[in-house]
Amino acid sequence: MDPDLEAARQRLDDKKAEIEAMSAMSEAARAPVMLDQQSVGRLSRMDAMQQQQMATAQERARKRDLVRIEMAERRLAEGEYGWCAECGEAIADKRLAIDPMAEKCVHCAAR
């Protein structure tokens, strides 16, 4: 039950491109908030700071996903992609279709 490695590579490439595009789009949202009290009220500044913090947190999550993609690409190169890193059993194709970066089978991931 070997996974379709070419399809896996394509899914990883697509996911990587999607993450990089989202990162580029949110760059302005992560910029420091200007605290000019003359032009913006206190509540608007607080809202802007909250939005900036949320955008920063989303960027951290995207960076974690890029690391997971790198790890999955390494497993592909080493011939270990599609096999659970914990128990050694095959990871279900449906799981890999949903999360091409998965390194554990459903049973090991649930532990």
Side-chain angles (χ1 to χ4, degrees):
M1 188 169 96
D2 289 332
D4 182 354
L5 299 182
E6 198 52 45
R9 270 190 196 88
Q10 187 61 50
R11 282 194 301 267
L12 289 169
D13 288 344
D14 292 347
K15 186 70 173 170
K16 189 177 198 176
E18 175 188 335
I19 290 170
E20 289 170 346
M22 291 295 295
S23 184
M25 286 190 312
S26 73
E27 189 171 349
R30 296 186 316 271
V33 176
M34 299 303 294
L35 299 177
D36 182 7
Q37 293 183 7
Q38 301 300 327
S39 64
V40 180
R42 184 172 67 93
L43 292 177
S44 295
R45 286 192 315 275
M46 289 173 58
D47 187 46
M49 288 172 31
Q50 180 182 18
Q51 294 294 325
Q52 186 253 355
Q53 289 298 314
M54 288 174 32
T56 300
Q58 290 170 339
E59 181 65 11
R60 280 193 300 270
R62 283 190 287 270
K63 286 185 180 190
R64 280 191 302 271
D65 281 347
L66 287 174
V67 169
R68 290 182 64 221
I69 289 171
E70 255 181 55
M71 292 169 58
E73 288 171 339
R74 190 173 304 131
R75 288 192 305 275
L76 265 168
E78 295 171 355
E80 296 176 8
Y81 184 82
W83 301 97
C84 180
E86 198 163 309
C87 71
E89 293 294 318
I91 299 173
D93 290 336
K94 288 182 180 181
R95 177 166 171 74
L96 291 172
I98 292 169
D99 182 8
M101 303 163 295
E103 62 181 314
K104 295 181 182 179
C105 67
V106 172
H107 299 291
C108 291
R111 290 187 219 162

